[in-house]
């Protein structure tokens, strides 16, 4: 039961509530990696809003200064389009106070010593520093020199061993989890370590390869698995169906067979589409057909689940007490192929089950289905939530103080 052991261990991490904040210099690693259009308008500020409770906690508990560290995108050199200046106004509006901007670590240090008590400083994109992704000791020490207490509240990057998420903790006396990081791990514990049964995993997306470890690892934890999206094509092919032009990972057909066989021995029920929506072309589709899964027309590809599958999956959802969902179940970005994913979202919203949603695409699909407020918990980390479900201990948790 690898998942349960690693999650229980991560739950032992000290939180910001376990240390004295008053008169201390605080450095918080936040995740402000938010989507923006070409005019730098933020289309979704969820990650920023999720960081507010930790920042407010530091302000309310009389911290001397608060420095916020984040990355934005994957900049090559110091590309101005990835500057965190673009999010400063939104941050000030959300916090309801002025936030000072520091172009570099030295100016952050100067601001720290000149601003009135409780001042909030946003440091320029940490990925502008070459050493960040290399977890350089020099950068880690520089960041550590800015604070008495290091707080990690960036769940979305907690699976990365970078200077600002990992290395810095080695040079700070007190290093703790922020309120979001704590909320994330407690929600995963509720779904995996101590769940209400039966537990259902819904898994989708385009590739089996990205979810292979998850599927092998989670069979000891769940009672039922729904496999949808393009990855279900590989499983249907493993059952001997001719999936025509559908996206299939030929190299993983044997793995799919192993998962189906292992699930049977562990008494885990796996549900695959019984009918599919298929088309002759994804972008310029002239023809769309609904057929049994084993009867995809020649030259067509499966792009969504059919109405019979929707009804079957809804019954599986309604008979579950804990639901974990990672990955959309069709090409939901195209309206004709979004029905399966949206119907699953509506089905989950109609239950009293504890629902844990992981992955950016899944959260986006739930938003588009209008069901965000009807889910128990939507994780802010795609890759991080996937690694948690795979039973891994996330690097960011490894270096924080334990109770």
């Amino acid at each position: 039961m690898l998942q349960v052991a690693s999650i229980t261990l991560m739950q032992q991490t000290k939180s910001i509530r376990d240390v004295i904040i008053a008169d201390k210099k605080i450095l918080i690693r936040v995740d402000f990696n938010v989507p923006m259009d070409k005019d730098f308008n933020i289309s979704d500020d969820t990650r920023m809003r999720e960081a507010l409770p930790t920042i407010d906690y530091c302000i309310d508990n009389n911290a001397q200064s608060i420095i916020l560290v984040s990355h934005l995108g994957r900049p090559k050199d110091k590309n101005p389009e990835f500057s965190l200046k673009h999010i400063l106004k939104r941050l000030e509006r959300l916090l309801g106070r002025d936030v000072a901007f520091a172009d570099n670590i030295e100016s952050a240090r100067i601001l720290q010593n000149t601003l009135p008590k409780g001042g909030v400083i946003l440091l320029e994109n940490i990925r502008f520093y070459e050493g960040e992704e290399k977890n350089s000791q020099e950068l880690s020490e520089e960041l550590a020199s800015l604070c008495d207490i290091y707080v990690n509240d960036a769940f979305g990057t907690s699976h990365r061993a970078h200077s600002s998420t990992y290395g810095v903790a080695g040079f700070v006396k007190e290093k703790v989890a922020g309120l979001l990081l704590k909320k994330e791990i407690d929600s995963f514990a509720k779904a995996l370590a101590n769940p209400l049964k039966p537990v259902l995993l819904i898994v989708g997306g385009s590739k089996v390869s990205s979810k292979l470890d998850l599927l092998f690892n989670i069979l000891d934890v769940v009672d039922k698995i729904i496999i949808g999206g393009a990855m279900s094509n590989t499983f249907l092919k493993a059952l001997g169906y001719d999936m025509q032009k559908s996206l299939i990972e030929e190299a993983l057909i044997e793995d799919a067979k192993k998962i189906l066989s292992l699930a049977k021995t562990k008494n885990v029920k796996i549900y695959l589409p019984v009918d599919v929506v298929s088309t002759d072309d994804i972008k310029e589709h002239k023809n769309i057909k609904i057929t049994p899964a084993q009867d995809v027309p020649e030259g067509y590809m499966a792009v969504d689940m059919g109405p019979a599958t929707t009804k079957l999956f809804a019954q599986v959802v309604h008979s579950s007490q804990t639901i974990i969902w990672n990955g959309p179940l069709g090409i939901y970005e195209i309206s004709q192929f979004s029905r399966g994913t949206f119907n699953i979202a509506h089905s989950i919203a109609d239950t009293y089950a504890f629902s844990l949603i992981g992955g950016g695409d899944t959260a986006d699909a739930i938003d588009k289905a209008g069901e965000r407020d009807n889910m128990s918990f939507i994780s802010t980390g795609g890759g991080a939530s996937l690694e948690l479900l795979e039973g891994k201990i996330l690097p960011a948790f490894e270096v924080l103080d334990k109770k």
Side-chain angles (χ1 to χ4, degrees), residues 91-385:
L91 179 61
E92 289 183 323
R93 195 158 77 234
L94 289 170
L95 274 173
R97 59 164 54 222
D98 290 339
V99 175
F101 188 80
D103 284 315
N104 53 50
I105 288 172
E106 201 36 61
S107 70
R109 199 186 314 281
I110 293 163
L111 284 166
Q112 202 177 32
N113 296 319
T114 53
L115 284 175
K117 189 173 179 177
V120 180
I121 301 153
L122 176 65
L123 180 67
E124 180 59 284
N125 192 341
I126 193 66
R127 285 195 184 162
F128 282 1
Y129 290 86
E130 204 183 312
E132 162 66 355
E133 291 179 83
K134 294 175 181 166
N135 187 26
S136 98
Q137 182 174 330
E138 191 186 344
L139 179 58
S140 298
E141 285 191 68
E142 269 195 274
L143 289 169
S145 72
L146 294 171
C147 65
D148 305 307
I149 300 172
Y150 166 74
V151 181
N152 191 330
D153 211 29
F155 181 74
T157 57
S158 59
H159 58 312
R160 307 265 184 238
H162 293 169
S163 283
S164 68
T165 59
Y166 186 86
V168 58
F171 303 98
V172 183
K173 199 173 164 194
E174 293 187 290
K175 50 264 183 200
V176 296
L179 301 177
L180 172 63
L181 206 67
K182 207 75 183 134
K183 188 166 78 166
E184 290 270 4
I185 202 68
D186 287 344
S187 295
F188 276 91
K190 190 171 176 180
L192 293 168
N194 193 18
L196 284 170
K197 297 271 197 178
V199 181
L200 165 66
L201 170 71
I202 303 171
V203 66
S206 58
K207 290 183 176 173
V208 179
S209 49
S210 63
K211 309 273 165 78
L212 204 56
D213 288 347
L214 157 63
L215 288 166
F216 276 120
N217 271 299
I218 210 159
L219 288 171
D220 288 326
V221 180
V222 300
D223 304 291
K224 302 178 278 190
I225 300 177
I226 284 175
I227 299 176
M231 63 184 289
S232 66
N233 298 332
T234 303
F235 282 85
L236 292 167
K237 181 83 183 273
L239 293 177
Y241 297 0
D242 184 352
M243 298 308 291
Q244 297 292 339
K245 275 171 63 188
S246 304
L247 181 63
I248 284 163
E249 287 176 282
E250 297 284 352
L252 294 177
I253 287 171
E254 287 310 310
D255 285 302
K257 285 179 183 172
K258 272 185 211 158
I259 288 163
L260 292 169
S261 165
L262 196 57
K264 204 170 263 182
T265 63
K266 290 181 182 282
N267 208 19
V268 175
K269 289 183 178 147
I270 290 190
Y271 297 86
L272 292 161
V274 292
D275 63 341
V276 295
V277 176
S278 55
T279 183
D280 51 351
D281 190 283
I282 291 173
K283 288 198 173 120
E284 294 173 22
H285 36 269
K286 294 182 183 71
N287 297 295
I288 297 172
K289 292 184 178 178
I290 297 168
T291 62
Q294 62 265 59
D295 209 9
V296 177
E298 194 176 335
Y300 278 59
M301 64 195 85
V303 286
D304 193 10
M305 59 199 194
T309 304
T310 299
K311 282 183 182 148
L312 168 69
F313 286 1
Q315 285 176 336
V316 180
V317 164
H318 283 125
S319 64
S320 306
Q321 290 292 314
T322 300
I323 301 166
I324 303 158
W325 183 9
N326 190 296
L329 303 182
I331 307 176
Y332 76 96
E333 301 91 339
I334 297 170
S335 61
Q336 291 95 324
F337 314 138
S338 65
R339 203 168 286 176
T341 300
F342 291 174
N343 281 335
I344 280 283
H346 301 322
S347 294
I348 296 171
D350 285 341
T351 69
Y352 291 102
F354 175 75
S355 51
L356 174 68
I357 312 302
D361 284 344
T362 324
D364 182 49
I366 281 163
D367 275 341
K368 287 189 164 71
E371 298 288 9
R372 174 174 277 274
D373 294 340
N374 296 317
M375 302 294 150
S376 309
F377 187 75
I378 298 178
S379 177
T380 55
S385 65

Side-chain angles (χ1 to χ4, degrees), residues 31-97:
D31 182 4
F32 289 166
N33 185 29
V34 291
M36 285 188 277
D37 65 18
K38 60 179 183 3
D39 299 316
F40 306 112
N41 297 308
I42 298 168
S43 55
D44 180 5
D45 64 4
T46 303
R47 285 180 165 180
M48 295 175 74
R49 281 185 282 113
E50 290 286 359
L52 298 178
T54 298
I55 302 167
D56 285 334
Y57 183 87
C58 293
I59 294 166
D60 295 345
N61 286 275
N62 303 312
Q64 180 60 42
S65 61
I66 300 142
I67 294 180
L68 307 176
V69 177
S70 178
H71 75 285
L72 179 63
R74 292 184 171 141
K76 298 224 178 328
D77 303 321
K78 296 186 177 178
N79 186 331
E81 85 176 80
F82 292 106
S83 172
L84 283 176
K85 276 181 183 156
H86 302 306
I87 68 154
L88 187 63
K89 275 198 170 66
R90 179 70 62 94
L91 179 61
E92 289 183 323
R93 195 158 77 234
L94 289 170
L95 274 173
R97 59 164 54 222

